[in-house]
């Protein structure tokens, strides 16, 4: 039976503790000892610091006010709300709720006062609390209200969130034109004719065609209504004249009856005229509104070709400093590569270690990443590594996280949102105590100060780390890159996940010695010679996976923006070391 990257609930898998693999035990030893960061296993002895895994979870923290002096006056500043780890909050003397973190009231208590005072970051967090639901059904109407207040202050993350609600029609009117313009505002392209994402050109043309068709329909309706209105107006006027004549000859019984009949017909005609006037006015207003929407659609810029690069050198050494190409500074590149294959309590997998090792080599040697490699990592190692990245990275850096291993989704009896998880090697079936919630990973991605973060997850249910996909935020990858487009993509934060599949189990090692997804990923990264954007990577990988999976498992990779982690419409770029060298000559 072919193994899949979802947990195995068989009784045999529960007996793995007695035969723990040497590789896993070695990893545990390294956790206690700690090693150098470049390409090596990294661990933290949390117990020695008096901390635990719970201390590495992100919490809503209220810091105490600061004592300041102004002239001869001493005063205490208001408390400040931040999102940080429980340990960091405690060290800084802050306050947080240790339990019920999924209770919206707890989070609101931290952020609401600041949001009502006008802080756009707090307003956006309040919106996210309402959108996520946090222990109750999502309230999209309230979420949109708070997003709008922050978006009106120019807060890019709220503009992205509000645009997404308009794109999906959640709590607001579905309006893809407004969504596109909000995305463009978030990208800083309100005055720049450059389209927020060059890949939405086809989407814009489709919108333009739809609006044109609706304008034509509204105009036809208005013309028809106007003709009917003119005809009824004439009939009304004729009836009024005939009624006046009948009333002048009133006195005879037949004249009185005729006058009453004409009066009823006149009243009916007047009612129809009033109705048609209202309908005509509505049709005219709809036409004007549609024409205004068409005017708001941005015009696409003509495509420009990126400079061609020479053939890459196969054994180019890694570039640890910032990557640079064609005069563009891309910043430093870091990666956390996790390959979980040998499990204590669950069924072992076949390819994650091989996949992760090859990904590590490619990122280090071909693209100049500083890689932290975690083979057969347990819960503490993964959580510690995520926390350590916050201290290592700056606002201009880039981070790639690759995870290959078991995944699962918890069952919710109340019918609310299910939660998805990565399973470390010490995870147990049907016990969530060591499972790593995708939302926890997302919280860390939000806290890390990197400009762009890309998650490559070869695991079941991995796409649920993000919200529903967006055809406007993430377009197709069939475009060449211009220097202007690259610079635009580097202006905003990027948080994106590319997963090996959706809601179905992902086959393990169907394309030996690698998984279907990882082999396609490796082939694209190996053959690439130019600056590669994440959606270009996804387009090529998805085609290869679907072709190879045809007629078997029907595996379909997915790419989604992680709005909860602060995606603001930016891009993640792969810059080959060889291309950098050629460009610098």
């Amino acid at each position: 039976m072919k193994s899949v990257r979802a947990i195995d609930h068989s009784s045999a898998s529960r007996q793995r503790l007695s035969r723990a693999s040497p590789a896993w035990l070695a990893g545990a030893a390294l956790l206690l000892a700690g090693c150098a960061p470049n390409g090596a296993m990294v661990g933290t002895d949390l117990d020695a610091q008096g901390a635990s895994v719970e201390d590495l979870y992100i919490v809503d923290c209220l810091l105490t006010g600061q004592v300041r002096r102004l002239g001869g006056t001493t005063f205490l500043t208001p408390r400040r709300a931040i999102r940080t780890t429980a340990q960091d909050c405690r060290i800084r003397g802050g306050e947080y709720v240790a339990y019920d973190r999924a209770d919206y009231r707890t989070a609101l208590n931290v952020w609401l006062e600041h949001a009502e005072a006008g802080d756009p970051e707090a307003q956006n967090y309040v919106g996210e609390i309402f959108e996520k639901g946090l222990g109750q059904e999502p309230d999209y109407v309230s979420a949109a209200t708070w997003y709008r207040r922050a978006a009106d202050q120019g807060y890019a993350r709220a503009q992205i969130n509000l645009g997404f609600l308009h794109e999906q029609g959640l709590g607001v009117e579905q309006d893809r034109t407004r969504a596109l313009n909000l995305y463009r505002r978030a990208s800083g392209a309100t005055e720049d004719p450059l389209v927020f994402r060059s890949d939405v050109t086809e989407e814009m043309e489709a919108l333009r065609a739809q609006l044109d068709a609706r304008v034509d329909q509204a105009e036809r309706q208005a013309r028809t209504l106007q003709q009917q209105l003119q005809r009824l107006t004439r009939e009304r006027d004729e009836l009024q004249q005939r009624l006046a004549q009948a009333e002048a000859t009133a006195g005879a019984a037949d004249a009185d009856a005729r006058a009453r009949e004409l009066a009823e017909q006149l009243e009916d005609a007047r009612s129809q005229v009033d109705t048609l006037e209202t309908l005509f006015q509505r049709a005219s207003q709809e036409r004007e509104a549609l024409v205004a929407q068409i005017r708001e659609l941005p015009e696409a810029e003509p495509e420009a070709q990126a400079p061609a690069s020479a053939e890459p050198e196969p054994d180019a050494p890694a570039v640890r400093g910032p990557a640079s190409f064609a005069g563009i500074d891309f910043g430093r590149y870091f990666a956390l590569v996790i390959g979980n294959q040998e499990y204590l309590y669950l069924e072992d997998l076949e390819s994650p270690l091989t996949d992760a090792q090859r990904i590590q080599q490619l990122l280090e040697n071909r693209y100049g990443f500083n890689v932290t490699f975690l083979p057969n990592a347990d819960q503490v190692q993964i959580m510690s590594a995520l926390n350590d990245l916050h201290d290592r990275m700056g606002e201009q850096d880039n981070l790639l996280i690759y995870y290959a291993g078991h995944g699962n989704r918890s069952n919710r009896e109340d019918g609310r949102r299910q939660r998805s998880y990565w399973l470390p090697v010490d995870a147990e079936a049907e016990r969530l105590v060591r499972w790593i919630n995708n939302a926890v990973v997302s919280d860390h991605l939000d806290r890390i100060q990197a400009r762009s973060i890309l998650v490559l997850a070869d695991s079941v249910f991995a796409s649920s780390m993000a919200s529903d996909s967006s055809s406007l935020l993430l377009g197709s990858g069939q475009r060449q890159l211009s220097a202007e487009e690259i610079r635009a993509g580097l202006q905003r934060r990027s948080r994106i996940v590319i997963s090996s599949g959706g809601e179905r189990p992902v086959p393990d090692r169907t394309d030996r010695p690698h998984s279907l997804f990882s082999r396609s990923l490796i082939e694209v990264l190996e053959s690439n010679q130019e600056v590669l954007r994440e959606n270009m990577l996804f387009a090529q990988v998805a085609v290869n996976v679907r072709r190879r999976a045809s007629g078997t498992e029907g595996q379909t990779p997915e790419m989604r923006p992680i709005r909860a982690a602060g995606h603001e419409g930016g891009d993640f770029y792969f810059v080959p070391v060889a291309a950098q060298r050629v460009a610098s000559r």
Side-chain angles (χ1 to χ4, degrees):
M1 178 178 177
K2 188 179 297 182
S3 63
V4 296
R5 295 189 177 181
I7 68 167
D8 175 20
H9 297 281
S10 65
S11 58
S13 66
R14 300 172 185 266
Q15 309 301 322
R16 302 274 171 152
L17 183 60
S18 60
R19 58 181 185 87
S21 65
W24 188 90
L25 293 175
L30 282 173
L31 169 65
L32 296 177
C35 291
N38 291 333
M41 182 75 178
V42 174
T44 304
D45 187 353
L46 294 178
D47 291 334
Q49 301 173 8
S52 66
V53 172
E54 288 293 315
D55 290 320
L56 301 180
Y57 281 85
I58 304 300
V59 297
D60 299 298
C61 175
L62 268 178
L63 297 178
T64 57
Q66 297 176 328
V67 179
R68 295 184 180 179
R69 288 186 62 87
L70 180 60
T73 305
T74 301
F75 63 96
L76 182 67
T77 63
R79 295 193 299 176
R80 183 165 59 95
I82 64 169
R83 299 198 79 208
T84 186
T85 62
Q87 183 181 33
D88 181 60
C89 182
R90 202 166 52 244
I91 291 173
R92 298 168 69 177
E95 170 189 340
Y96 68 94
V97 176
Y99 302 98
D100 296 327
R101 296 195 190 102
D103 187 340
Y104 79 101
R105 292 168 298 183
T106 297
L108 278 180
N109 287 339
V110 175
W111 296 104
L112 191 57
E113 179 181 352
H114 299 273
E116 291 175 339
D119 183 348
E121 180 184 25
Q123 290 170 346
N124 179 75
Y125 276 133
V126 170
E128 291 181 353
I129 290 167
F130 281 113
E131 183 183 352
K132 293 175 183 177
L134 297 184
Q136 62 176 10
E137 291 299 322
D139 182 351
Y140 297 114
V141 173
S142 297
T145 299
W146 285 105
Y147 288 153
R148 189 174 294 109
R149 292 176 65 175
D152 289 345
Q153 298 188 62
Y155 194 67
R157 180 164 171 174
Q159 292 167 344
I160 291 289
N161 287 334
L162 181 59
F164 184 83
L165 294 187
H166 276 291
E167 183 181 354
Q168 304 296 326
L170 299 172
V172 293
E173 178 186 2
Q174 187 172 26
D175 188 336
R176 296 168 70 81
T177 302
R178 183 175 298 180
L180 177 59
N181 284 318
L182 282 164
Y183 294 155
R184 293 183 70 247
R185 284 172 57 193
S187 74
T190 51
E191 301 298 334
D192 194 333
L194 177 67
V195 179
F196 165 57
R197 286 298 300 265
S198 60
D199 297 311
V200 304
T201 301
E202 294 181 3
E203 184 75 28
M204 285 194 306
E205 291 306 317
L207 282 172
R208 196 183 301 276
Q210 293 174 12
L211 292 174
D212 285 338
R214 290 173 60 189
V215 168
D216 291 340
Q217 182 181 7
E219 288 179 344
R220 288 195 301 270
Q221 183 182 16
R223 285 195 298 268
T224 301
L225 289 171
Q226 191 172 32
Q227 292 171 0
Q228 294 176 358
L229 179 59
Q230 292 172 352
R231 177 177 56 79
L232 278 173
T233 301
R234 287 195 301 269
E235 292 179 2
R236 181 196 62 186
D237 293 342
E238 292 175 0
L239 282 170
Q240 196 162 0
Q241 292 176 3
R242 290 164 60 188
L243 177 61
Q245 294 173 359
E247 289 175 344
T249 59
D254 58 341
D256 290 338
R258 181 58 178 162
R260 285 194 298 271
E261 181 183 354
L262 290 172
E264 291 176 358
Q265 292 179 11
L266 179 60
E267 185 62 29
D268 184 57
R270 285 172 176 165
S271 176
Q272 292 185 48
V273 168
D274 291 341
T275 300
L276 284 176
E277 285 180 341
T278 301
L279 292 175
F280 175 72
Q281 184 179 14
R282 289 178 182 174
S284 300
Q285 290 174 348
E286 180 183 2
R287 179 185 59 193
E288 293 174 0
L290 290 170
V291 171
Q293 289 186 45
I294 292 176
R295 293 196 192 102
E296 291 177 1
L297 285 177
E299 298 293 338
E301 284 284 296
E303 294 186 21
Q305 300 294 321
S309 59
E311 290 292 326
E313 300 176 19
D315 297 323
V319 178
R320 302 303 177 186
S324 177
F325 178 81
I328 302 173
D329 184 358
F330 288 84
R332 299 181 301 171
Y333 280 82
F334 295 83
L336 173 61
V337 177
I338 305 167
N340 284 350
Q341 180 167 314
E342 299 169 354
Y343 281 78
L344 290 177
Y345 308 102
L346 309 177
E347 181 181 5
D348 287 344
L349 298 171
E350 297 184 51
S351 67
L353 277 178
T354 303
D355 297 340
Q357 288 168 352
R358 184 62 187 133
I359 293 293
Q360 176 201 4
Q361 294 168 0
L362 279 171
L363 295 179
E364 284 184 336
N365 299 330
R366 194 177 186 87
Y367 293 94
F369 279 72
N370 300 284
V371 180
T372 298
F373 179 49
L374 297 182
N376 292 321
D378 61 22
Q379 181 196 29
V380 174
Q381 291 170 306
I382 295 175
M383 293 293 294
S384 297
L386 289 171
N387 185 63
D388 292 343
L389 288 169
H390 172 265
D391 299 325
R392 298 182 63 194
M393 304 190 64
E395 294 182 353
Q396 302 303 313
D397 293 335
N398 311 274
L399 171 64
L400 183 147
I401 297 179
Y402 173 87
Y403 173 79
H406 276 310
N408 199 19
R409 185 171 62 184
S410 63
N411 295 321
R412 297 290 299 275
E413 296 179 356
D414 54 9
R416 296 174 184 164
R417 292 180 179 178
Q418 293 179 310
R419 301 181 184 275
S420 299
Y421 300 81
W422 288 353
L423 303 189
V425 293
D426 54 348
E428 300 180 52
E430 301 179 359
R431 292 192 63 196
L432 278 63
V433 63
R434 294 191 186 89
W435 297 13
I436 299 177
N437 195 324
N438 282 176
V440 172
V441 179
S442 176
D443 285 343
H444 277 278
L445 301 187
D446 185 16
R447 180 174 179 252
I448 295 171
Q449 296 300 307
R451 173 173 54 196
S452 62
I453 299 179
L454 176 63
V455 178
L456 301 174
D458 196 358
S459 174
V460 72
F461 306 126
S463 63
S464 61
M465 178 180 294
S467 57
D468 292 336
S469 184
S470 165
S471 59
L472 298 180
L473 274 175
L474 300 174
S476 67
Q478 307 304 317
R479 288 282 303 248
Q480 293 291 326
L481 288 174
S482 68
E484 189 176 12
E485 287 174 317
I486 293 174
R487 290 190 177 94
L490 292 173
Q491 293 302 309
R492 297 287 179 177
R493 278 171 43 124
S494 171
R495 300 291 188 271
I496 296 171
V497 57
I498 297 178
S499 62
S500 56
E503 302 302 312
R504 303 171 63 182
V506 179
D508 179 47
R509 216 181 111 175
T510 61
D511 213 348
R512 298 172 185 268
H514 299 291
S515 75
L516 202 63
F517 174 77
S518 292
R519 176 178 173 180
S520 299
L521 179 63
I522 290 167
E523 287 178 351
V524 174
L525 292 177
E526 281 183 334
S527 61
N528 175 57
Q529 302 175 20
E530 300 178 346
V531 175
L532 181 71
R533 193 166 59 193
E534 84 288 313
N535 60 341
M536 297 176 173
L537 171 71
F538 170 73
Q540 298 177 55
V541 170
V543 168
N544 291 340
V545 170
R546 284 195 294 265
R547 184 181 70 249
R548 288 168 174 158
S550 178
T552 55
E553 294 82 4
Q555 182 178 345
T556 303
E558 294 185 358
M559 179 172 73
R560 297 182 178 183
I562 314 176
R563 293 186 301 114
H567 180 71
E568 296 180 358
D571 296 303
F572 188 99
Y573 297 96
F574 293 85
V575 187
V577 173
Q580 297 179 52
R581 289 178 170 176
V582 171
S584 64
R585 290 174 183 170

